[in-house]
Amino acid sequence: MKFTKIAAAAISAVILSVMAAGCAENKEDSRKAEENIPSASVNSDYQAITIDGNTVNMDDGTVYRGLGAVSANNSSRLLLDYKAENPDAYWEIMKLLFQPDYGAGLTHVKIEFGTDVNSSSGTEPSIMRAEDEPADVTRGAGFQFAADALSINPDITVDLLRWGEPKWVTDAFANNQKSGFEARYKWYKAAIDSAYDTYGIKFTHISADGNEPAEVDADWIIYFSDRLKHEEDSRYDYGKIKIVASDEVGSWNIADAMMENESLRDAVDILGEHYNTHASDAAKTLNHDYGKEIWYTEGISPAVVAKLAVTSSGSGINGTNGALDVCNRIINGYYNGRMTMYEYQPAVAAYYSGAKFFPKSLISAQNPWSGYYEADCGIWTSAHFTHFMENGWRFVDSACYGDGAENHSISDTTNNYMTATDPETGDYSIVNCNDSDAARNYTFTLKNMEKAAVPISIWETRGPDEGQDYDANYFQNIGTYLPVKTENDYAYSIEVKPYSIVTVTTLDKTADTSISRCNYENTPLNANYSDNFEYEDSFLLSRGNAPRYTTDYGGAFEVAEVDGNKVLMQMINADNKPTDWRLRGTPNPVTSLGDDRWSNYSAEIDFQFADTSQENYVSFGVRYLTAELDAGTAQNGYSIQIYPNGIWELYKNAQAAVCGTIKGFDSSTWHTIIS
């Protein structure tokens, strides 16, 4: 098939008052006078929290690991077009995600190990559709996304997780387990090798099981870990790659299995959990007694558009699946589950708006032709953690707490706060999150803390006051103060207003929220757009033959050369159709291109059949907005479907409205559809 034309209220957190002179020791008074830093007050009526240095958690499995990004579900696809068409915008997006002390400050990337199956919002392409095919990690955006993140911050850690599986791997299991394991390992190793050869990526982690498995594949995890540790043909020391398992959603089968199976316990370094902040007793035992880290390896990104939500809520960052709800998951994850990393899925929504689960992201990017993107509130609520807690810090357990009702969201909370410290310097930071309509007031007392007397700075994100822009109060430094010397310790009081997140820190930081304001025009794709796919070879080589501006919801569409012409071709058929992710079937092959702002347009394609198989067809649609109306076919809007024998069907959504036969139809020649 070849396209030739497509015209298709009040400050949220304040130090309450200036203390009367004479409360601090001479040393602190001298520093205050020298630096002109006001003192804080201590309010005995506020909730008391002790930050006790003797409660710093130094267990091997409780090192703060920051926040990460899951590049999956077709979510990063349009970034390839941003990079090609508007590279300045692309690097702005990447820096907002990964540059330290700049935007979100993410420090981990997990790549979906694509297999051409729909894993929620679209398909991630397979690097090997046949056992004898050389691995091609330029397919899809995931590996390139990780490589470019590493170019911004070389300390970023990189993980890999499969959702489906290539047919040739599944077929090997039909012989016996040994053949299946060997085939699967060959596929994984090809990815590890090729990622290094192509982009210089060194994987630090591999999520060995499938995404959200019903049962733990203990035999495979043990086999895979052992093979990596004894791999002699490696680009770097594959034995140092840490194993994550089992990326379950809600259950802790992996923890139970590890408690009973010493070999599995030795193989797994990190327990990964999805959409659940509570760890089981077995998981906590593995964490405390065996040093196994626990990560929240897939969690939602804020699923609201703050500049729109603010008109109904007044805040824009509150409510179910809002930015504050997500922050409470991060806080509760440590307190209730000893989870030391939270991974956003996705961090950037670089696919079209009709995809399943849209919108949820820190940054949305659906306009590569103009370079326009939107950096939402999640950038700055993330910064409340990442700017003030360095990877490697330790949690102060006496000053960590999280509660609320949990059902894929956190509601009805009473208090949510997290404190971490740098064991080397003594610096510390406290993140306070209030997703409620009442203020929360705290008095913090510092005991056994090296920097108890050091000035603290207050950073705040909240909704607008009347007449302000929706983001006017994002990530604002609202003051620096000196803790007050009490009889034996130091203390200060703060107020956390409704629907706000506040960080208290001894670190001296600066940040400019204006960097998130996109300077590109939000212009629609020209309705006279056309594409003949005659791209330069270098363009195609840089992106695994992916055409411009398309996102796949089923199958894999690539540019191929036929009879000297470059055409758009569907690469998946019955001979190589992969094994689906267990929780989602893949719709019939469909790719999407266009702009949901188009309202009155026509569209045209030229097409030719590759063969005369009666299972083959060409389908072309307009007013296509979502892949979810019919899960089996992904058909919606209006489309026409034509078969090699000349039979045609006109569909409205997934229902055939009218059909017919083209007399004398020759499937071997080029034809045109105008809609």
Side-chain angles (χ1 to χ4, degrees):
M1 181 176 68
K2 179 173 76 171
F3 286 101
T4 55
K5 188 180 297 183
I6 299 179
I11 292 177
S12 304
V14 293
I15 296 295
L16 292 174
S17 63
V18 177
M19 259 313 259
C23 291
E25 293 179 339
N26 292 337
K27 180 179 179 181
E28 279 66 45
D29 285 339
S30 174
R31 181 175 180 181
K32 179 178 67 175
E34 180 181 347
E35 300 183 11
N36 197 29
I37 298 174
S39 294
S41 69
V42 178
N43 191 316
S44 60
D45 295 330
Y46 285 6
Q47 179 171 334
I49 299 172
T50 300
I51 306 174
D52 187 347
N54 288 339
T55 69
V56 174
N57 192 331
M58 297 300 292
D59 287 353
D60 291 342
T62 55
V63 180
Y64 174 71
R65 300 298 186 190
L67 303 177
V70 182
S71 175
N73 315 135
N74 186 46
S75 61
S76 303
R77 166 62 186 86
L78 292 177
L79 287 181
L80 293 176
D81 297 311
Y82 273 87
K83 189 173 183 179
E85 304 289 323
N86 284 287
D88 289 344
Y90 172 78
W91 287 109
E92 287 174 18
I93 291 168
M94 295 298 288
K95 288 177 180 178
L96 277 169
L97 292 176
F98 297 109
Q99 183 169 311
D101 294 329
Y102 184 72
L106 308 183
T107 55
H108 182 78
V109 175
K110 180 163 66 180
I111 305 168
E112 177 182 340
F113 201 2
T115 52
D116 302 312
V117 302
N118 186 299
S119 53
S120 285
S121 310
T123 66
E124 292 282 348
S126 175
I127 66 164
M128 291 175 70
R129 298 185 178 119
E131 185 174 7
D132 59 355
E133 179 185 18
D136 185 357
V137 295
T138 68
R139 290 177 182 161
F143 290 90
Q144 196 164 162
F145 180 74
D148 288 342
L150 283 164
S151 74
I152 295 170
N153 179 6
D155 293 328
I156 285 172
T157 50
V158 184
D159 193 359
L160 186 69
L161 170 69
R162 78 179 190 274
W163 294 57
E165 194 157 69
K167 185 176 185 298
W168 62 271
V169 175
T170 300
D171 288 348
F173 278 97
N175 296 325
N176 52 63
Q177 185 187 74
K178 182 175 184 294
S179 296
F181 282 179
E182 288 176 350
R184 187 184 285 168
Y185 181 77
K186 180 177 181 178
W187 174 45
Y188 271 84
K189 184 176 181 299
I192 298 169
D193 291 346
S194 185
Y196 181 81
D197 295 343
T198 306
Y199 297 120
I201 295 172
K202 291 183 178 181
F203 282 98
T204 54
H205 301 77
I206 300 286
S207 295
D209 215 337
N211 183 65
E212 299 180 357
E215 298 179 355
V216 174
D217 195 347
D219 290 344
W220 160 250
I221 296 170
I222 295 167
Y223 174 92
F224 181 63
S225 174
D226 184 70
R227 285 293 301 269
L228 286 180
K229 287 180 172 62
H230 295 93
E231 181 58 62
E232 296 180 356
D233 178 23
S234 59
R235 308 303 195 263
Y236 48 96
D237 188 353
Y238 293 173
K240 291 183 178 180
I241 296 175
K242 294 185 179 298
I243 301 299
V244 184
S246 255
D247 286 277
E248 299 168 52
V249 55
S251 62
W252 288 97
N253 297 326
I254 183 64
D256 295 338
M258 288 171 65
M259 290 298 293
E260 297 176 359
N261 187 329
E262 183 179 357
S263 295
L264 181 63
R265 191 164 63 241
D266 291 341
V268 175
D269 300 289
I270 297 162
L271 285 74
E273 177 77 354
H274 294 188
Y275 304 105
N276 178 22
T277 65
H278 292 262
S280 68
D281 289 342
K284 291 179 180 178
T285 297
L286 289 164
N287 171 255
H288 184 271
D289 294 352
Y290 295 94
K292 305 298 182 182
E293 296 188 24
I294 307 176
W295 290 2
Y296 200 129
T297 48
E298 182 184 317
I300 197 170
S301 296
V304 296
V305 179
K307 72 177 181 180
L308 303 178
V310 71
T311 61
S312 62
S313 70
S315 166
I317 64 174
N318 66 314
T320 301
N321 295 330
L324 297 179
D325 176 8
V326 174
C327 292
N328 278 337
R329 300 184 204 198
I330 297 169
I331 293 170
N332 283 23
Y334 176 73
Y335 182 75
N336 295 313
R338 288 299 184 254
M339 299 174 187
T340 57
M341 178 189 284
Y342 183 97
E343 300 179 36
Y344 292 114
Q345 199 287 103
V348 56
Y351 47 12
Y352 293 121
S353 59
K356 186 176 178 65
F357 298 130
F358 184 93
K360 60 170 183 172
S361 64
L362 307 182
I363 300 175
S364 59
Q366 294 86 44
N367 296 269
W369 45 84
S370 69
Y372 180 79
Y373 62 88
E374 292 187 354
D376 216 324
C377 56
I379 289 288
W380 299 113
T381 52
S382 298
H384 275 272
F385 296 88
T386 61
H387 285 225
F388 307 114
M389 294 181 181
E390 304 289 342
N391 283 12
W393 280 29
R394 296 289 186 155
F395 296 92
V396 185
D397 283 349
S398 64
C400 292
Y401 183 82
D403 68 2
E406 179 170 3
N407 182 17
H408 276 261
S409 64
I410 305 291
S411 61
D412 302 321
T413 64
T414 64
N415 292 285
N416 300 87
Y417 48 85
M418 173 191 288
T419 305
T421 185
D422 184 341
E424 294 184 1
T425 67
D427 284 299
Y428 70 92
S429 298
I430 318 162
V431 180
N432 306 266
C433 187
N434 183 3
D435 192 12
S436 76
D437 60 2
R440 293 177 180 172
N441 304 322
Y442 304 106
T443 294
F444 294 101
T445 298
L446 295 107
K447 292 180 177 292
N448 307 305
M449 296 292 290
E450 180 180 344
K451 292 197 173 180
V454 168
I456 53 160
S457 294
I458 313 296
W459 291 78
E460 166 193 84
T461 293
R462 60 185 176 90
D465 294 329
E466 185 175 354
Q468 289 184 318
D469 290 339
Y470 77 98
D471 59 351
N473 298 314
Y474 285 4
F475 208 58
Q476 297 297 303
N477 184 338
I478 60 171
T480 299
Y481 302 87
L482 279 171
V484 172
K485 184 70 170 67
T486 61
E487 183 176 351
N488 298 310
D489 306 297
Y490 288 85
Y492 48 85
S493 297
I494 68 168
E495 179 186 18
V496 184
K497 289 286 186 177
Y499 306 128
S500 68
I501 182 170
V502 172
T503 298
V504 181
T505 184
T506 58
L507 297 175
D508 184 12
K509 297 275 190 171
T510 60
D512 180 6
T513 56
S514 68
I515 61 176
S516 66
R517 298 191 179 104
C518 177
N519 294 317
Y520 299 85
E521 293 293 328
N522 187 15
T523 55
L525 180 61
N526 191 319
N528 292 319
Y529 179 81
S530 65
D531 198 341
N532 61 11
F533 307 110
E534 295 292 339
Y535 309 127
E536 294 290 335
D537 290 343
S538 58
F539 176 82
L540 291 172
L541 286 171
S542 70
R543 49 197 283 139
N545 296 313
R548 182 181 287 118
Y549 300 158
T550 61
T551 60
D552 298 343
Y553 296 105
F557 289 82
E558 294 181 1
V559 176
E561 189 165 311
V562 177
D563 299 329
N565 295 316
K566 290 190 172 80
V567 299
L568 185 64
M569 180 178 290
Q570 168 54 225
M571 310 305 292
I572 305 303
N573 53 54
D575 294 333
N576 65 357
K577 187 176 181 180
T579 302
D580 272 319
W581 176 39
R582 76 174 184 92
L583 294 177
R584 177 169 294 277
T586 297
N588 293 339
V590 58
T591 194
S592 180
L593 179 153
D595 195 306
D596 61 11
R597 291 167 289 187
W598 289 352
S599 60
N600 184 17
Y601 64 94
S602 63
E604 176 182 325
I605 63 167
D606 291 344
F607 71 92
Q608 181 186 48
F609 286 98
D611 57 55
T612 59
S613 169
Q614 294 310 297
E615 294 181 350
N616 200 2
Y617 67 89
V618 168
S619 184
F620 180 56
V622 293
R623 297 187 179 275
Y624 181 96
L625 293 178
T626 175
E628 286 302 310
L629 186 60
D630 183 276
T633 66
Q635 285 178 264
N636 61 77
Y638 297 88
S639 61
I640 188 166
Q641 196 157 301
I642 303 174
Y643 296 86
N645 60 8
I647 293 176
W648 60 270
E649 298 170 313
L650 180 65
Y651 284 83
K652 179 180 180 181
N653 297 325
Q655 300 298 316
V658 63
C659 61
T661 302
I662 302 171
K663 293 183 179 180
F665 183 77
D666 183 357
S667 64
S668 66
T669 64
W670 285 93
H671 300 272
T672 301
I673 299 175
I674 300 176
S675 174

